Amino acid sequence: MFQFIKKYKAFLIGLLLIVPIFYMLDYIGFLLLPENQTLEIVIYAIFWGIILALPFHYYTYLKEKKKTVFRVLGLIALFFIALLIDSSMKVPDNPITFSLLIGFWIGLAYVLIPTFIKKYWTLIAFIYTPLFLYFLYLRLFSGDLETYLKIKEELPFFIFFLPIPVLFLVWVFEQWKWVQNLKAEKSKTELSLLRSQINPHFFFNTLNNLYALTIKNSKQAPDVILKLSDMMRYTIYEGEKETVKLGDEIEYLKNYMELHKIRYKKSVDLSFKHDVNPNLQIAPLLFIILLENAFKHGVETLSENAFIHIHLYEDDNAIYFNIENNFDSKEMSQTKGIGLANLKLRLSLLYPKKHELNNYIEGTIYKSTLKISKHA
């Protein structure tokens, strides 16, 4: 209870202070409290007590936002000055009051949406400056008050509000554009993260094999070094691009398969048919995930007769990547790796509603088909 009172003491103080403030204002005639309406007075007191307490309760926050607080206080002061002048002079459509109120509304808009006002102040000035000058001309130079009031009936002041829907639509468009840019930046960030998650397991294993080959002074070592270097260069540099040539992806997959042949002492049937235009553009490092899975969950689980068959082809509308491999059902892993999840998320970001990925099992053969639209 003590902690609660300590946290919200500003509201308690505000409620205690508002009562004597009300009666003091009533005593000097600035405020007239209704007699025999205790409930109404209590409601007013609670409302204004909370209003009075808010600045004290949020003192730390308001201290950090000094400029905004002073602007709001200045606008409130401007509004009350306009009301005071209007009530004291009692002049219909007082130009002074009108000018002050325009300043108030522009200032309020600047406090609420400063970026928009800064960006479109020339448009706002272009719209409202002629209207304001026309009002001053009618009010001050069109003749006496009766002439002005007659003109006002024929040309009502709602014309000042006509541009507001236009400005509102411009503001809505700005918000929409900001949201789209935010989504694009989010997608870029996610793609960058997903690319960095490409499994380094293969590179580590290949380096270990390379180490073994160098110890044996194998003639294969230089070839392995060149292929591994090409793959690492491609992953690091080409992998950051939005699109690459399909021919470069094919070479990357071939190098991957050649390096795997060196890893295994057992015989593996690897075939890679490709009948596509090598100059077609595609997002990098999509097919490699499916090929990695075929080795990891297929070849590595079998002691003999392992195979991976790949067919990459195209038609008028899409590019197709079909891959199938056999596996040992007893060694089938129940845990889901990040590879396929990574691929699905990347595809959804890069080719939304422009791709199809299907995975299915027929006995001891695992098949994957990836279709990517050429018109994405």
Side-chain angles (χ1 to χ4, degrees), residues 8-274:
Y8 296 102
K9 63 181 178 182
F11 293 100
L12 183 61
I13 294 171
L15 292 173
L16 292 174
L17 287 177
I18 198 65
V19 175
I21 291 173
F22 264 29
Y23 281 103
M24 183 181 71
L25 294 175
D26 181 63
Y27 179 76
I28 63 177
F30 189 83
L31 178 69
L32 294 177
L33 294 177
E35 296 181 3
N36 301 322
Q37 295 186 21
T38 307
L39 180 60
E40 187 175 342
I41 294 173
V42 169
I43 293 172
Y44 284 150
I46 292 172
F47 174 78
W48 287 107
I50 292 173
I51 297 297
L52 181 66
L54 283 173
F56 297 99
H57 183 69
Y58 292 105
Y59 175 76
T60 304
Y61 174 79
L62 295 176
K63 190 177 179 181
E64 294 174 356
K65 304 287 183 180
K66 279 183 182 178
K67 287 185 178 180
T68 304
V69 171
F70 285 128
R71 285 171 183 166
V72 172
L73 292 175
L75 288 172
I76 293 172
L78 183 65
F79 182 76
F80 279 104
I81 289 170
L83 292 182
L84 185 63
I85 292 174
D86 191 60
S87 61
S88 61
M89 296 182 69
K90 296 180 180 179
V91 177
D93 293 339
N94 190 333
I96 299 175
T97 304
F98 195 80
S99 302
L100 292 175
L101 288 177
I102 286 179
F104 168 78
W105 288 113
I106 292 175
L108 184 62
Y110 181 80
V111 168
L112 295 175
I113 45 175
T115 305
F116 179 81
I117 298 298
K118 286 178 181 177
K119 186 174 182 179
Y120 291 100
W121 71 269
T122 50
L123 175 64
I124 296 168
F126 177 77
I127 293 172
Y128 278 102
T129 299
L131 289 174
F132 179 65
L133 292 175
Y134 185 59
F135 161 74
L136 291 179
Y137 169 76
L138 291 179
R139 185 65 184 84
L140 299 175
F141 304 107
S142 62
D144 57 17
L145 182 59
E146 290 184 4
T147 305
Y148 164 74
L149 293 175
K150 186 177 180 181
I151 295 173
K152 181 183 174 181
E153 290 179 2
E154 297 172 356
L155 187 66
F157 273 17
F158 72 81
I159 61 170
F160 280 91
F161 298 96
L162 289 179
I164 291 177
V166 176
L167 294 173
F168 177 74
L169 289 175
V170 172
W171 178 80
V172 169
F173 173 74
E174 284 288 317
Q175 301 310 300
W176 176 82
K177 192 164 66 172
W178 174 75
V179 170
Q180 295 305 116
N181 289 337
L182 195 64
K183 286 181 179 179
E185 287 298 319
K186 183 174 180 288
S187 295
K188 286 180 181 179
T189 303
E190 287 180 347
L191 280 173
S192 179
L193 178 62
L194 289 169
R195 284 169 181 154
S196 69
Q197 290 177 347
I198 292 173
N199 194 354
H201 175 72
F202 163 75
F203 288 113
F204 292 137
N205 281 340
T206 305
L207 287 171
N208 286 333
N209 290 328
L210 178 59
Y211 175 72
L213 291 173
T214 54
I215 290 177
K216 296 176 182 178
N217 293 320
S218 172
K219 293 180 180 180
Q220 290 180 301
D223 189 43
V224 171
I225 292 172
L226 284 175
K227 290 184 184 301
L228 184 62
S229 175
D230 287 341
M231 287 194 67
M232 293 185 74
R233 186 182 299 108
Y234 186 87
T235 302
I236 294 168
Y237 296 109
E238 301 301 312
E240 289 300 313
K241 294 181 179 179
E242 290 187 8
T243 60
V244 295
K245 288 183 180 180
L246 194 52
D248 293 337
E249 278 288 300
I250 291 171
E251 287 303 312
Y252 181 77
L253 295 174
K254 284 182 177 179
N255 283 339
Y256 184 89
M257 295 171 72
E258 288 297 322
L259 289 174
H260 264 293
K261 285 181 181 178
I262 298 169
R263 282 188 59 198
Y264 300 116
K265 295 179 181 179
K266 59 190 175 185
S267 175
V268 181
D269 176 17
L270 298 176
S271 68
F272 183 11
K273 297 178 183 179
H274 45 87

